[in-house]
Amino acid sequence: MLAVTNTLTRAKEPLRPRTPGTVAMYTCGPTVYRYAHIGNLRTFLVADLLRRALEAGGTQVRQVQNITDVGHMTNEEFDRGEDRMLVSARLEDKSPAEIAAYYTEAFLADAAAFNLQPAAAYPRASEYVPQMQELVARLLESGHAYEVGGNVYFAVESFPGYGRLSGNTLERLRAGHRQEEPDPRKRHHADFALWKAAGPQRLVKWPSPWGDGYPGWHIECSAMSLATLGEHIDVHTGGEDNVFPHHEDEIAQSEAVVGHQVVTTWVHGRHLLTEDFKMSKSRGNFLSLRELTERGRGPLAARLLFLQARYRSPLNFTWDAVAGAERTLERLRSRVASWASDPGSGDGPGTGTGGYEARFWAAVDDDLDTPTALAVLHELEGDESLPPAARLAAVQAFDRFLGLDLDAEVGRALPAGAEALIAERERARAARDYAAADRLRDRLAEMGVEVTDTRAGTSWRLRP
Ligand code: AMP
Ligand code: ZN
C-alpha cells in the first residue's frame, strides 16, 4: 500500500481512501498568464506519480486540477512579471480572457508532452465565481468573515485550527508577520481577503453583494474543490510554497463552511532551484518546456531528471544533469527496442523478474522513492541472465509508473546493415581505434541512426 508524507501530520502514512478503491485528489493548478516553467511541472509531476502509483495498485483516482485564470490578472502583474516585449506583443488587442485561453492551451500541451496524465476535470476559476460568492456569504453569515468597504476578510481568530498545516499559528504570526498591503480596517493582521473591491484600473471584476470586485486567490480552491470533489477529499497536492498561506487559508475557509475536516492527506513537493534559488518568474531564472526543447533537451529528459531525486528534496537544475538524463533515456530506449526485436527463445515474460518487480513497487510505495525505483530498473537492465522478453515486459510495466515512453523506439527497426556497423564500431572503440569509430559514426548518421556512447555501452536512436 502506498504511504506518503502528510504535511498536516508531518508523518509518513498509508494513503487509505475514505471510499475503498477510489481516491479523490485535488491538484493545485497553474496560473495562466504565462507559460508554466519546469519548476511548476516538477510539482505537477508529484501528483501524476501519486496517481500512477495508486492506479498501479488497482485504485481508481478522480483527479481535479484547477486553472487559475482570475485573481492574478491585473495589468500591473503583466508588467512586472514578463518580458515587456513579449507582453506587448501578446497583449496587443488581447483581452485577459484571451490571454488565459492561450496559456491554458499551452499548459495542457506542456502537460501532455511531460506525460502528465490528464485530470478528470480542469475547472476554471472564472467559471466558479458564483460558488465562491456563495462560500463568502456563508462565512459572513456564520461570523467567520466580515466586510469593510467592499472587501471581505476571513477572521482567523474565529477558526481555532488556524496554523495547523504550516505551523504558523496566530501566536507565531503575531511576531513579525508582515502583510503586503496592510489594510488598517482588518481586525487581525493575519486576516486574509475572501473578496476584494475592484479599483478603477481593474480589468476583470464581478458584481457582488459587497460591490464590484474579484475573489481572493484562496477562496478559488475551496470553491472548486468542494464543488468538484465534495466535502471529503483524500489527497490535495501542491508545491511547498502553497503550504502557507494558500493551503492554510483553504483549510480555514472550507472547514469553517462545512464544519469538519475536508482533506485527509496534504502532499507538497519541494522546489526546483537554479543555483540554489527557487525557479520563479519574478526572479527571472525560470525555464519553460519550450526553451528546454529549443536547447535540444526533450521534455522526458527533464521528467527523468526529476525522478532521479525524491520529491521531498529540493533539486538544483543544471544543463549537465539534464544532458545526462537524456543520454540515459536514449540508452534505455535502445535497450528496450533491442529486447523487443530479439526477445530470445524459451521462457517468456515474467521469468525471473519477480524480485525486481517486488523491489520496484516497494520503493514506489515508500513515499515515492523514485531514485531507488530507478536503481532497480538499471539493475534489471543489466541482468543478462534474464531473457530479453522478460526484461521487456518488466520495464514496460515499470514505465506505466515512470511515464518515460521507454518503448518509444520499439518497432522502429534499424535500417538494413546498421546493426552490423554498430557492432563494428563497438569493436573499434574497444580497440581504441577512435578514427575508425568516428568514420562508422558518420556512416550511421547518413543512414539516420545517431549513436551515443555512455559508460554502460553504445546506444542508438533513429533521427525523428
Ligand atoms: P503558479 O502557476 O505560480 O500558481 O504555480 C503552480 C504550481 O507550481 C504551484 O503549486 C507552486 O507551488 C509550484 N511551483 C512554483 N515554483 C516552483 C518551483 N520552483 N519548483 C517547484 N514547484 C514550483
Ligand atoms: Zn490551490
Side-chain angles (χ1 to χ4, degrees), residues 68-151:
T68 297
D69 61 353
V70 298
H72 298 260
M73 299 289 287
T74 63
N75 258 330
E76 302 80 59
E77 284 214 22
F78 286 122
D79 296 348
R80 257 193 280 123
E82 262 216 81
D83 179 314
R84 280 171 174 275
M85 292 276 293
L86 279 176
V87 171
S88 36
R90 288 210 199 93
L91 285 189
E92 220 165 284
D93 293 330
K94 275 193 179 171
S95 66
E98 286 168 326
I99 295 282
Y102 176 84
Y103 288 108
T104 300
E105 284 310 309
F107 162 70
L108 293 173
D110 284 350
F114 204 60
N115 270 356
L116 301 176
Q117 298 194 96
Y122 292 101
R124 270 67 165 173
S126 59
E127 291 168 8
Y128 282 79
V129 176
Q131 287 87 339
M132 296 176 209
Q133 293 188 350
E134 165 79 22
L135 291 183
V136 176
R138 286 172 69 180
L139 289 167
L140 279 165
E141 265 161 42
S142 57
H144 287 288
Y146 56 94
E147 191 230 315
V148 275
N151 294 315

Side-chain angles (χ1 to χ4, degrees), residues 317-331:
F317 175 85
T318 66
W319 286 102
D320 277 355
V322 78
E326 184 105 63
R327 284 194 299 274
T328 303
L329 195 56
E330 284 178 4
R331 189 195 71 227

Side-chain angles (χ1 to χ4, degrees), residues 27-44 65-66 68 72 217 237-243 246-247 268-274 277-281 285 315:
T27 297
C28 257
T31 309
V32 285
Y33 62 89
R34 50 149 171 82
Y35 291 114
H37 60 62
I38 59 171
N40 303 137
L41 294 175
R42 183 181 188 213
T43 286
F44 301 147
Q65 180 167 36
N66 66 288
T68 297
H72 298 260
W217 174 33
T237 67
E240 59 177 307
D241 57 329
N242 291 149
V243 175
H246 187 49
H247 290 158
H268 291 101
R270 298 296 298 270
H271 280 150
L272 183 68
L273 316 173
T274 20
F277 284 107
K278 175 188 169 188
M279 184 176 283
S280 69
K281 196 80 200 172
N285 62 350
L315 174 66

Side-chain angles (χ1 to χ4, degrees), residues 275-293:
E275 289 166 355
D276 295 322
F277 284 107
K278 175 188 169 188
M279 184 176 283
S280 69
K281 196 80 200 172
S282 50
R283 198 171 263 282
N285 62 350
F286 60 92
L287 194 69
S288 68
L289 221 45
R290 281 140 238 263
E291 289 162 318
L292 191 79
T293 313

Side-chain angles (χ1 to χ4, degrees), residues 146-176:
Y146 56 94
E147 191 230 315
V148 275
N151 294 315
V152 182
Y153 292 108
F154 186 93
V156 289
E157 285 165 309
S158 75
F159 185 74
Y162 196 81
R164 253 181 44 208
L165 183 74
S166 63
N168 288 332
T169 53
L170 296 186
E171 272 312 308
R172 294 183 57 180
L173 280 175
R174 215 158 266 146

Side-chain angles (χ1 to χ4, degrees), residues 43 80-81 138 189 209 257 263 310 356 387 408 436 450:
T43 286
R80 257 193 280 123
R138 286 172 69 180
H189 64 83
V257 165
V263 174
R310 295 198 71 157
Y356 290 104
E450 283 171 11

